[in-house]
Amino acid sequence: MSVAMEDAPSSSMVESLQYFHETLDSHFGDLRDARAKLEPSSPVFALEHDLSPEDLELLKDAVREAIKSRYLARCREAWLPFVVYAAEMGYGYVGDEYWTTFSSLTPRWTSQERSTIRAWFVRFHERYGGARPTGAWANHFRIIAWPITHAVLPTYLQRYLAQLLFEFRGALTSELLDDPETLGIRLARRASNYTERFRIFCENTALVGQLAVALLSGENEPTPYLSAATLARIVDGLSKEQQAHHWLKSARASASRVRGFQPTGTAGAAQPASKYLPRATDPRLFLRYDGGWNAHAKLPDLTVLGAGMEAAYSQLRVSRATVSGATRPIPPSGLLYPGQEVQFARWPQPDQPFLQLDRGDEETNRILATQCVITKGPWWLFRRQGTGLAIEVKGKFVRPGHEYVLVGVDTLSAPAVPWCGQVVIKAGGVKAYRFLVPPQLSENEKAALQAAGLTVVSHVAIRPVGIVASAWDGEGEAEWLAGEPAMLGIRSDLLPNRARVVIAGAVYFLEWSPGEPELLFTLEGLPVGTHELGVKLLGGGDRQLAAGSLVVTIRDPQVRPEGAAIGEGIRALATPTRPTLAELWDDRAVVTIDGPPGTEAVLRVTLRGGQTEPLAELRRSVRLPLEEGDWRAVAKSIRTDQRFANAYDDAESCVLTVARDGVGFATFTCERGFRPLRLRFARTHDGAVVATLVDRTDSGNTSLDFYDIEAPLTAIQKDPAEPFDVPPRGGLAIARAGDAVAAAILPTNPNAVLRMPPAQPVVSSGAHSSSEVMRLAEGHQRWITAELPADAFAAYEQQIVGDAIARAIGTLIGGSYWAAIERKVAGAQDAADHLEGMQDAVGISTEHKALASTIAYSLYKWLKPEDLLLGFHEVITPHLAAHGISGKPSTPHFLLMLAGWRGYITEWEPSEAAFVLEQVLKSPVLYRAARFAVLGRRALNDADGVERSF
């Protein structure tokens, strides 16, 4: 629909607004009625006004004149033009400052009028079925979320959606094109490697799915989810960039090919399978031979579990994972990369979850316990795949004439067959047997195998043919990427007339060519997920001759991840994965780079502004592989580079690229993040710093607290709407607005600091109580986790404050004598010179001295964080009951946090933390023992930055 202005009265601004309101009211009412008939119903967007370009300019002029004339408060009846105007601003929004752009284009606009705009969008939602913003982003940005959502697809996001549709085109099916909600969920899962702002946009899966269906509808094809004019406008915008136009055109071509396609087969419905089918998120078990069989698991990339569950994804980023029976934990972010492998010291316990996060909440660990599961025992079957390798057959099919390894719990006896012999397996809790299955099996042998839950398949074999399957265990399970034809062959030594194939609830009868040993066919259009394909070979009169089955898994095709993948020449991994700009350069994240040993490569770091324009570029030569300690040294040299420091505070993103000609390259991007609150800094001509709070929350209740270096636990309130002068030594500023928090260490004035005496933070402690320890720990957490500017002096001041608070906690718990020992250690050139003094200060009783001695002899074994955690747990646990602590297995970990990284105890369950602290205050030897373990490990460890772990 197009609104013609020839009939509009050429009169005042008020009459123009009223005319537009009445016209838009009729138009949006028609859209509401049409969308309500859809199943499920679809929202209306303010951008779907369908005004001609000329009329839109007239509307904008009328709105600007009304605001300039202070008429906004009186526009109670003619409010729709203002909603359209705000949505148009959202469409041109580039992801920086919505209200800044709005104000620059709208004379005399004031922030007090923002709530009026929001109220009108809420009215639009209620009256016309308008879209309602959802997700964490909408909760933080309660006002601007409305106009940006009603902009449908702001211009700065259009290219990303076109690219996502292009990369997803191979997974499109007719079912997905008919189900926008499911399509939106699938697209959101694929957006993990995109920018944060686009990932936030994809959180509204219903909107993404409906928009995707609309864009994939094809040229000149109507869609019920967007008006024709709005769809054409977005497509026209995408067509202005050659690459985006190509992406959309290719995605549309793929959608056109699959639209209307439905699998065909003879009538009949299959009964749903009752047995458990493996999931794409289940681990893969395999055995490797090295003087005996070692048991391993290859873990899946669990990024898909984070789609729509930001809390779960955040925990996967920062939490170690424990695999039942494994010899080592999975490092933070390890489950967000493909190819992670673990070896078992003991076979996974059936009564325990296979995979859990050390610091995961109950809901996230419940999801992991149900979505990442090994095959049910008590027997597990592995087919030999050449020398030294055996892969699990999840369907537990045994085929005559093949060799297997059978693993079972150690309380069971082996199946009573003569060709079964015990072999060595280096995993506790199970026994292993070599299965050299003969070509012919007796009925007794078949019965013995069936008693162990094994199925004998002799006359039918189902296997992938043609296009190589993504994965194939050689027996009962195969994988393909969505969009690939699953080409299969059924081979038999019998003479069937036809085959009955059952999959995805449908039954197919396939004729068998006489004299052919194999029947070939193709499965197309299978949805992503796991399916069981059942086959029955039928003879004369449809008499059943043999049966077999195959587990078919269809996976989403994954694009090349940032950082590259296993097997490529160069691979870069960040821990935690997808770090923010602050995490990467505040030493809270590390980068490791794999590549041919000894190879020289170029590391390029590019800082970019809000419009992705380059602000600074630095290069470093690195030798591969680059380990954690090497990265810290490289990062320090980059951080202290003046070019980096000059651009860092203005940067919105950073691109790391490592490359070597002839070997390969890897790249990844980290962003500052689209945050509700942010502190910006500017310097005067004499080096002084002025801080300004950028508040995007529209909350109206923002607070801003300042903490001075000399009094680091005393908050001084600042006006959040006004810039403030930063003292020469800097300090800490914390802004809060609802759930949104921004904490930043403030830059210093280096010239002034050099003329000042060393800072001496005053940290006074109160009562000898658990609440006082927690107060100090919260202060420590505030300072140590705050974002750092590009200022080496600021990092130094932060560390001074952290040390001062740590000494206060140590004195409160450990006593003055222990505090004196720590001061000696802090001032020593070599802390190892004071190990004996620390050992003597742990305690004076025989028990305390024995405990200290055990820790002293163990320090060289505890140089790695995981070794310290496990070793200290074994040493301290026998002593806990005597100090009133029992039934709390996490206590050793808590003690190490209290001794080495105090702020983290604030994240403990409050009642448990309070209980343990009360016992520690009564028995300070527990703290002194943990502190001795932490300081002793640091003294003996040469790794730079070891204090970051405990």
Side-chain angles (χ1 to χ4, degrees):
M1 162 183 177
S2 178
V3 182
M5 280 302 297
E6 289 80 8
D7 300 328
S10 176
S11 55
S12 68
M13 166 266 298
V14 176
E15 291 174 325
S16 296
L17 290 175
Q18 186 63 38
Y19 175 83
F20 276 119
H21 178 85
E22 293 173 356
T23 305
L24 292 169
D25 174 69
S26 175
H27 173 64
F28 286 130
D30 292 340
L31 282 179
R32 173 199 60 210
D33 296 341
R35 301 280 165 83
K37 297 176 182 178
L38 299 176
E39 185 58 43
S41 62
S42 177
V44 175
F45 299 93
L47 193 73
E48 297 181 277
H49 50 72
D50 286 6
L51 294 171
S52 68
E54 297 78 12
D55 294 348
L56 180 59
E57 286 304 314
L58 290 174
L59 179 145
K60 291 179 179 178
D61 290 342
V63 168
R64 289 176 180 136
E65 183 63 29
I67 294 174
K68 184 178 180 181
S69 304
R70 309 296 188 192
Y71 189 75
L72 185 66
R74 289 177 286 168
C75 295
R76 298 175 183 267
E77 302 301 327
W79 53 274
L80 278 174
F82 296 91
V83 170
V84 169
Y85 182 85
E88 284 288 335
M89 290 292 179
Y91 185 72
Y93 177 63
V94 294
D96 189 10
E97 296 287 346
Y98 176 85
W99 292 120
T100 301
T101 304
F102 195 106
S103 300
S104 67
L105 299 175
T106 312
R108 296 188 182 178
W109 171 259
T110 64
S111 59
Q112 288 78 10
E113 296 164 330
R114 298 177 185 179
S115 58
T116 303
I117 293 293
R118 182 183 187 277
W120 283 341
F121 271 106
V122 172
R123 188 186 301 179
F124 186 88
H125 162 71
E126 295 170 346
R127 185 168 298 183
Y128 304 105
R132 187 180 189 92
T134 59
W137 186 78
N139 294 333
H140 282 310
F141 305 95
R142 297 184 306 109
I143 298 181
I144 68 172
W146 285 94
I148 293 173
T149 295
H150 277 267
V152 186
L153 186 64
T155 52
Y156 80 104
L157 296 178
Q158 291 179 0
R159 188 178 194 274
Y160 296 129
L161 184 58
Q163 182 180 357
L164 180 62
L165 294 176
F166 171 77
E167 292 170 348
F168 190 77
R169 69 193 187 285
L172 289 172
T173 64
S174 59
E175 290 84 357
L176 281 178
L177 293 173
D178 291 336
D179 186 356
E181 178 64 34
T182 301
L183 177 59
I185 293 172
R186 293 276 301 282
L187 289 171
R189 290 174 178 169
R190 296 292 305 280
S192 59
N193 287 324
Y194 285 75
T195 66
E196 182 183 28
R197 288 167 180 163
F198 185 66
R199 295 195 304 272
I200 291 171
F201 169 76
C202 289
E203 287 180 5
N204 193 339
T205 55
L207 169 61
V208 171
Q210 291 162 355
L211 184 56
V213 170
L215 288 173
L216 295 173
S217 60
E219 296 184 23
N220 302 319
E221 292 185 22
T223 173
Y225 302 111
L226 276 182
S227 69
T230 305
L231 176 61
R233 181 180 181 182
I234 294 174
V235 172
D236 182 63
L238 287 167
S239 300
K240 291 178 181 178
E241 183 185 347
Q242 183 176 0
Q243 184 63 69
H245 176 71
H246 167 71
W247 284 334
L248 181 60
K249 184 177 180 180
S250 297
R252 280 183 157 184
S254 296
S256 178
R257 284 194 295 270
V258 303
R259 186 174 288 110
F261 171 81
Q262 298 289 343
T264 58
T266 59
Q271 296 298 319
S274 59
K275 70 179 184 179
Y276 169 80
L277 290 178
R279 302 178 182 85
T281 52
D282 286 343
R284 290 184 168 276
L285 303 184
F286 62 96
L287 307 176
R288 283 199 182 106
Y289 190 82
D290 181 15
W293 289 104
N294 292 303
H296 300 260
K298 184 176 182 180
L299 305 181
D301 176 358
L302 295 182
T303 304
V304 294
L305 295 183
M309 296 183 291
E310 190 62 30
Y313 185 86
S314 297
Q315 291 173 59
L316 288 168
R317 284 186 71 236
V318 301
S319 298
R320 293 193 324 165
T322 301
V323 175
S324 177
T327 56
R328 65 173 180 86
I330 306 299
S333 296
L335 296 173
L336 299 176
Y337 292 110
Q340 189 76 235
E341 292 184 3
V342 294
Q343 182 176 338
F344 295 112
R346 289 191 59 83
W347 197 261
Q349 298 298 305
D351 59 343
Q352 296 178 2
F354 176 77
L355 183 65
Q356 294 283 268
L357 297 180
D358 287 354
R359 296 170 59 200
D361 61 29
E362 183 177 349
E363 176 62 16
T364 300
N365 276 330
R366 184 192 64 78
I367 293 171
L368 290 178
T370 58
Q371 297 296 316
C372 193
V373 181
I374 67 170
T375 311
K376 185 178 180 180
W379 293 101
W380 293 266
L381 184 69
F382 298 81
R383 179 171 173 171
R384 292 288 302 268
Q385 300 280 330
T387 304
L389 179 65
I391 298 176
E392 185 190 12
V393 179
K394 292 189 176 183
K396 301 181 182 179
F397 304 115
V398 174
R399 189 174 300 280
H402 290 77
E403 185 176 352
Y404 302 88
V405 177
L406 183 66
V407 176
V409 296
D410 54 10
T411 57
L412 297 176
S413 300
V417 291
W419 30 267
C420 171
Q422 187 169 350
V423 293
V424 175
I425 185 168
K426 300 177 181 179
V430 290
K431 296 178 182 178
Y433 304 89
R434 182 190 183 194
F435 252 38
L436 189 57
V437 186
Q440 300 294 328
L441 278 74
S442 67
E443 291 302 320
N444 289 337
E445 291 173 330
K446 291 181 180 180
L449 295 181
Q450 290 172 356
L454 307 179
T455 302
V456 180
V457 180
S458 56
H459 295 296
V460 59
I462 310 170
R463 64 187 182 93
V465 297
I467 295 178
V468 177
S470 302
W472 164 235
D473 68 356
E475 192 62 70
E477 184 180 17
E479 289 184 5
W480 282 270
L481 297 180
E484 292 179 347
M487 302 180 67
L488 295 166
I490 304 174
R491 180 176 289 273
S492 177
D493 55 2
L494 303 175
L495 297 174
N497 291 337
R498 59 178 180 168
R500 181 178 183 266
V501 177
V502 180
I503 190 168
V507 180
Y508 304 85
F509 288 92
L510 307 177
E511 299 300 320
W512 198 292
S513 299
E516 292 292 334
E518 190 167 22
L519 171 65
L520 304 179
F521 64 101
T522 301
L523 294 172
E524 292 185 346
L526 281 179
V528 169
T530 305
H531 315 272
E532 183 178 28
L533 182 140
V535 173
K536 291 184 179 179
L537 302 185
L538 306 177
D542 279 348
R543 176 174 57 88
Q544 181 174 323
L545 304 178
S549 65
L550 178 73
V551 173
V552 176
T553 298
I554 306 297
R555 289 183 182 269
D556 264 346
Q558 297 295 321
V559 297
R560 180 186 188 273
E562 285 197 313
I566 287 178
E568 299 198 25
I570 294 178
R571 186 187 191 211
L573 300 178
T575 304
T577 187
R578 215 167 65 196
T580 65
L581 190 66
E583 286 175 332
L584 187 63
W585 299 110
D586 288 359
D587 207 18
R588 286 177 281 157
V590 296
V591 175
T592 58
I593 305 173
D594 294 331
T599 301
E600 293 284 343
V602 174
L603 174 68
R604 185 171 71 249
V605 177
T606 306
L607 292 175
R608 293 181 174 178
Q611 308 299 320
T612 69
E613 73 279 10
L615 302 179
E617 181 173 292
L618 294 84
R619 294 171 182 259
R620 294 291 187 275
S621 178
V622 296
R623 183 176 293 274
L624 304 182
L626 191 78
E627 303 295 342
E628 179 176 331
D630 304 322
W631 162 256
R632 293 192 187 280
V634 172
K636 184 176 181 180
S637 74
I638 293 173
R639 179 90 194 207
T640 54
D641 191 298
Q642 193 59 46
R643 293 170 296 167
F644 183 94
N646 292 340
Y648 179 76
D649 289 335
D650 294 325
E652 291 295 332
S653 64
C654 174
V655 180
L656 267 71
T657 303
V658 58
R660 171 62 188 264
D661 291 342
V663 176
F665 80 98
T667 184
F668 67 85
T669 303
C670 54
E671 300 175 288
R672 192 175 293 278
F674 192 48
R675 294 169 299 174
L677 301 167
R678 183 185 171 191
L679 285 152
R680 289 186 179 274
F681 310 114
R683 290 190 183 273
T684 62
H685 66 280
D686 60 353
V689 177
V690 177
T692 303
L693 177 65
V694 178
D695 184 359
R696 297 166 172 159
T697 64
D698 301 317
S699 66
N701 61 351
T702 303
S703 65
L704 178 61
D705 292 331
F706 168 75
Y707 297 84
D708 191 80
I709 295 288
E710 303 286 353
L713 299 183
T714 303
I716 302 173
Q717 292 186 349
K718 297 285 186 180
D719 184 347
E722 296 294 331
F724 66 93
D725 295 328
V726 177
R729 291 193 189 279
L732 167 66
I734 301 180
R736 294 183 176 86
D739 294 334
V741 179
I745 303 296
L746 304 176
T748 65
N749 183 340
N751 294 329
V753 171
L754 290 174
R755 296 192 296 268
M756 301 170 71
Q760 295 182 341
V762 177
V763 181
S764 58
S765 58
H768 191 257
S769 65
S770 61
S771 59
E772 180 64 10
V773 176
M774 292 300 292
R775 184 185 75 86
L776 295 173
E778 289 166 357
H780 189 272
Q781 182 80 332
R782 282 196 296 268
W783 277 89
I784 296 301
T785 60
E787 183 175 326
L788 276 167
D791 180 352
F793 285 95
Y796 175 71
E797 304 281 15
Q798 179 195 46
Q799 191 61 50
I800 287 177
V801 171
D803 291 344
I805 299 174
R807 283 195 300 272
I809 293 175
T811 302
L812 182 64
I813 300 176
S816 58
Y817 181 67
W818 178 263
I821 292 291
E822 288 216 23
R823 283 194 293 271
K824 291 181 181 179
V825 173
Q829 290 186 343
D830 188 353
D833 293 339
H834 295 275
L835 287 176
E836 187 175 341
M838 284 190 285
Q839 179 180 342
D840 292 340
V842 168
I844 59 175
S845 72
T846 303
E847 177 198 358
H848 298 170
K849 288 184 175 296
L851 173 61
S853 178
T854 303
I855 293 174
Y857 283 113
S858 302
L859 289 176
Y860 280 102
K861 304 175 185 177
W862 296 349
L863 298 184
K864 294 182 179 179
E866 56 268 26
D867 295 334
L868 173 62
L869 182 59
L870 294 175
F872 184 74
H873 188 284
E874 293 178 359
V875 169
I876 199 68
T877 297
H879 298 268
L880 295 178
H883 298 284
I885 303 175
S886 60
K888 295 187 178 299
S890 62
T891 297
H893 193 184
F894 181 90
L895 293 173
L896 288 175
M897 289 290 102
L898 178 63
W901 200 239
R902 298 140 191 94
Y904 279 124
I905 69 171
T906 62
E907 301 176 9
W908 232 263
E909 199 281 319
S911 61
E912 181 177 353
F915 172 79
V916 175
L917 282 175
E918 291 293 346
Q919 306 311 308
V920 170
L921 288 168
K922 295 175 184 176
S923 305
V925 64
L926 298 176
Y927 170 81
R928 294 195 291 261
R931 186 66 174 154
F932 176 37
V934 169
L935 292 178
R937 170 182 173 264
R938 292 181 185 176
L940 298 177
N941 203 317
D942 295 330
D944 184 28
V946 69
E947 68 279 358
R948 287 278 178 180
S949 54
F950 282 111

